[in-house]
Amino acid sequence: MEFRTFVFYFLAAILVVAGLRVITSRNPVHAALYLVLAFFTASGIWMLLQAEFLAIALVLIYVGAVMVLFLFVVMMLDINLDRLREGFWSYLPLGSIIALLMVAEMGLVLGGNYLGLFEVEVPQTSADHSNVQAVGRLLFTDYVYPFELASVILLVGIVAAVALTQRERRQSKAVSPSQQVFVKARDRYRVLQMPAEKKD
Amino acid sequence: MVDALQGFLQGLFGPVFPLVWTLLKIVLIIAPLLLAVAYLTFWERKIIGWMQVRIGPNRVGPWGLIQPIADGLKLLLKEVVIPTGCDKSVFLLAPMFAFAPALAAWAVIPFNDTLVLANVNASLLYIMSITSIGVYGIILSGWASNSKYAFLGGMRSAAQMISYEVAMGLALVVVLMVSNSLNLGDIVRGQGQGYFADRGLGFLSWNWLPLLPMFVVYLVSIVAETNRAPFDLAEGESEIVGFHVEYSGMAFAVFFLAEYANMILVSTLTSILFLGGWLSPVGFLPDGILWLFVKISAILFIFLWIRATFPRYRYDQVMRLGWKVFIPLCLIWLVVVGCWMMSPLNIWK
């Protein structure tokens, strides 16, 4: 067996196990960690395809940012597993229909070679070819409108997230550091002159 | 000599030779790095001692030079206490998550024109993605300890690290814009040319001068990113409880190894991205790996100097600095440099 093939099967085995553990592990934090492992392994497989930019971006964005925030949320949840498992059988038909649909879609895409779906050949690149440059050039020439559209949608998402979570507190005790540094001693206390009281 | 060794090993190992050779190179990077980490702790205590008119460690060995070894031995001999009710596997995994990225990032660091373990095109992206994994060590240790103090401490420092990663990433974007490359070697080579470099004043051609605001942002952000004073809200050894409060012995020491290894890593990155890496500052001296070490040491000294002299930031001030000062500044400078590069005044051709 060629070394490359060995690496592929090695990574693929880890990926499948990690994927299974994501849905079977009882602890949600463990599930999230297996998802991290799955992302990392998937990036290894992409690296085998010489898609170095996509592979590194997967680690940078999904492992480095998205899953961290995911873990933040999952760790603070108080999850009752027994209540989650209630009604497993009643949801099963709907769930299996969705699963079948997803398998069919993936089959169509993965079998694209046989079904003749691809309009463009998969490019064969040499090792000294910069992947990032090629992706960047395509994004800003051929796909500039979809790219800009995606960025506008993301921007709307950001603004919406801020708008939804921002709550003004009337009695906020936060102080502005820029005002803080201008405080003089006489703003803070007053010396009162009081007549001494007589002792009786 | 290297060729002779290569030939000898090739005969010895045959088909697995490339693997052995790479492993050897990895060891040649990691071993001096770990030694440097040990002596950075010693150097830190010495410098802070001198700045506070003390002597610093001077008991173990000549001038106290064996002190870091003694500290390491002490931590190795201590018991690793695993708290009840904690998630044992994640608890033990967390320090590794913190330490491993700091070592893995060294794979693409160029030491001079030819000396680099893996000369990949997207090395800067690789470093950004690998170092972003380090934050898992902090959140996981906070969660797995099954202690509210550790959990809150982990949340606090993870939020801080993520915030400053954004500013650092934007500063890096500006650097790679002017270098027109993601390869660290090319970024250094790009700094070796320009108006001043042609006249023998190479240090004025490095990225720190034309990108001065980004250099300052990066320098402050790396201090915050490595959780060092004055942004050391992660630990605050004596006042605030941090994410590693439940750790003891070597498990605790690994977090500190990670912190110091990260300090050396980010100092190296700053030297490469802004200070010309292995390039010599003046024309009449040759380039070489020695210059890189001088630059790394200078930035590490700044780390220690800051720690010895500045009072600690409050948490809301840390977040305010990151989000409301650095990120807008980076975004504005990104546009400024973009316009500069498109104008006839472009100096990066």
Side-chain angles (χ1 to χ4, degrees):
Chain A
M1 189 162 54
E2 207 187 337
F3 184 63
R4 212 181 137 94
T5 329
F6 168 75
V7 173
F8 171 76
Y9 280 113
F10 180 69
L11 291 177
I14 296 179
L15 184 57
V16 169
V17 171
L20 279 176
R21 292 295 289 149
V22 172
I23 49 175
T24 55
S25 62
R26 297 179 63 87
N27 189 329
V29 174
H30 288 182
L33 284 177
Y34 278 113
L35 191 54
V36 171
L37 178 63
F39 280 136
F40 205 80
T41 326
S43 111
I45 290 180
W46 286 3
M47 199 74 98
L48 275 184
L49 291 172
Q50 299 188 337
E52 70 207 25
F53 176 70
L54 284 181
I56 294 176
L58 181 70
V59 175
L60 182 64
I61 295 163
Y62 280 90
V63 178
V66 173
M67 286 314 291
V68 174
L69 299 179
F70 226 85
L71 272 176
F72 261 45
V73 176
V74 167
M75 282 173 177
M76 290 202 248
L77 291 179
D78 185 23
I79 294 177
N80 188 344
L81 276 174
D82 290 332
R83 276 196 52 203
L84 272 182
R85 271 154 209 264
E86 264 174 33
F88 174 77
W89 292 105
S90 58
Y91 288 125
L92 190 64
L94 184 64
S96 43
I97 289 173
I98 293 176
L100 274 178
L101 266 179
M102 282 166 71
V103 168
E105 285 176 358
M106 275 163 71
L108 277 178
V109 173
L110 293 176
N113 262 342
Y114 302 106
L115 304 173
L117 291 178
F118 293 137
E119 291 180 5
V120 193
E121 286 281 301
V122 177
Q124 297 297 323
T125 54
S126 56
D128 59 330
H129 185 78
S130 174
N131 216 297
V132 186
Q133 232 162 19
V135 170
R137 193 153 289 150
L138 272 183
L139 271 187
F140 282 96
T141 52
D142 291 2
Y143 297 100
V144 65
Y145 290 122
F147 181 69
E148 295 291 330
L149 206 63
S151 57
V152 169
I153 292 173
L154 277 178
L155 186 67
V156 171
I158 295 172
V159 174
V162 172
L164 282 176
T165 52
Q166 196 182 35
R167 263 176 267 161
E168 204 70 47
R169 271 189 65 185
R170 278 285 167 72
Q171 66 278 39
S172 167
K173 284 176 182 151
V175 282
S176 148
S178 57
Q179 287 176 349
Q180 237 175 345
V181 292
F182 289 113
V183 164
K184 301 276 184 310
R186 63 168 186 279
D187 298 337
R188 288 288 166 89
Y189 71 93
R190 246 170 344 138
V191 180
L192 297 178
Q193 294 291 336
M194 283 177 72
E197 287 186 20
K198 271 178 204 151
K199 209 178 183 182
D200 49 10
Chain B
M1 199 189 83
V2 176
D3 288 335
L5 183 68
Q6 213 167 351
F8 171 70
L9 288 173
Q10 202 148 21
L12 201 62
F13 291 103
V16 289
F17 164 74
L19 190 69
V20 174
W21 188 241
T22 314
L23 276 178
L24 197 69
K25 283 194 275 193
I26 292 174
V27 169
L28 275 181
I29 294 177
I30 299 286
L33 177 68
L34 291 181
L35 203 67
V37 166
Y39 277 91
L40 182 58
T41 63
F42 172 74
W43 189 232
E44 170 171 36
R45 294 169 67 182
K46 272 287 186 198
I47 287 191
I48 294 180
W50 289 330
M51 285 188 181
Q52 296 169 348
V53 206
R54 294 184 283 117
I55 296 172
N58 68 341
R59 290 288 129 178
V60 194
W63 307 292
L65 275 175
I66 314 289
Q67 183 71 43
I69 315 284
D71 285 344
L73 268 181
K74 181 199 79 174
L75 284 165
L76 269 177
L77 293 175
K78 276 184 156 184
E79 184 192 356
V80 178
V81 181
I82 294 177
T84 43
C86 80
D87 192 319
K88 194 174 167 189
S89 53
V90 180
F91 185 79
L92 293 177
L93 205 64
M96 299 177 208
F97 260 120
F99 192 34
L103 299 182
W106 284 87
V108 296
I109 298 276
F111 294 98
N112 67 24
D113 231 348
T114 50
L115 203 63
V116 51
L117 181 63
N119 188 10
V120 294
N121 272 327
S123 44
L124 191 61
L125 264 180
Y126 168 82
I127 285 196
M128 280 167 78
S129 66
I130 283 292
T131 49
S132 70
I133 294 174
V135 70
Y136 279 98
I138 288 174
I139 345 180
L140 290 182
S141 62
W143 177 78
S145 303
N146 195 26
S147 148
K148 289 193 174 59
Y149 297 107
F151 185 59
L152 291 175
M155 288 283 165
R156 201 168 56 221
S157 29
Q160 176 186 338
M161 283 176 79
I162 293 176
S163 312
Y164 279 87
E165 230 161 61
V166 180
M168 278 170 76
L170 285 171
L172 291 186
V173 167
V174 178
V175 171
L176 64 93
M177 260 167 72
V178 303
S179 315
N180 200 13
S181 170
L182 278 168
N183 186 317
L184 289 174
D186 289 344
I187 289 176
V188 172
R189 278 184 279 275
Q191 296 177 59
Q193 44 197 300
Y195 178 84
F196 290 110
D198 296 341
R199 280 156 188 77
L201 289 169
F203 69 101
L204 292 175
S205 274
W206 298 342
N207 276 339
W208 69 271
L209 188 61
L211 304 180
L212 192 60
M214 290 302 99
F215 178 55
V216 174
V217 166
Y218 196 78
L219 207 58
V220 179
S221 296
I222 60 175
V223 180
E225 181 72 12
T226 48
N227 283 327
R228 296 282 306 175
F231 306 105
D232 57 344
L233 298 134
E235 299 123 42
E237 284 91 350
S238 51
E239 304 95 275
I240 349 171
V241 186
F243 58 90
H244 42 38
V245 63
E246 302 288 350
Y247 281 84
S248 62
M250 209 53 209
F252 172 75
V254 169
F255 278 114
F256 267 79
L257 285 180
E259 181 177 321
Y260 284 88
N262 268 323
M263 276 167 69
I264 299 180
L265 177 70
V266 290
S267 307
T268 313
L269 277 180
T270 316
S271 325
I272 288 174
L273 296 170
F274 291 98
L275 298 177
W278 63 81
L279 299 176
S280 146
V282 280
F284 56 85
L285 290 173
D287 299 340
I289 190 169
L290 211 58
W291 289 114
L292 183 63
F293 291 149
V294 168
K295 288 164 192 171
I296 297 173
S297 313
I299 295 168
L300 283 174
F301 174 73
I302 293 177
F303 265 101
L304 310 180
W305 189 11
I306 289 175
R307 163 150 189 206
T309 42
F310 281 115
R312 180 178 297 132
Y313 266 62
R314 219 172 45 209
Y315 191 65
D316 62 314
Q317 293 170 331
V318 172
M319 287 314 225
R320 184 175 165 273
L321 183 71
W323 286 101
K324 293 194 177 167
V325 180
F326 281 175
I327 294 180
L329 184 67
C330 286
L331 286 172
I332 290 170
W333 199 248
L334 188 77
V335 177
V336 168
V337 171
C339 295
W340 188 359
M341 288 181 70
M342 283 298 134
S343 75
L345 297 171
N346 185 4
I347 56 171
W348 293 285
K349 270 181 183 156

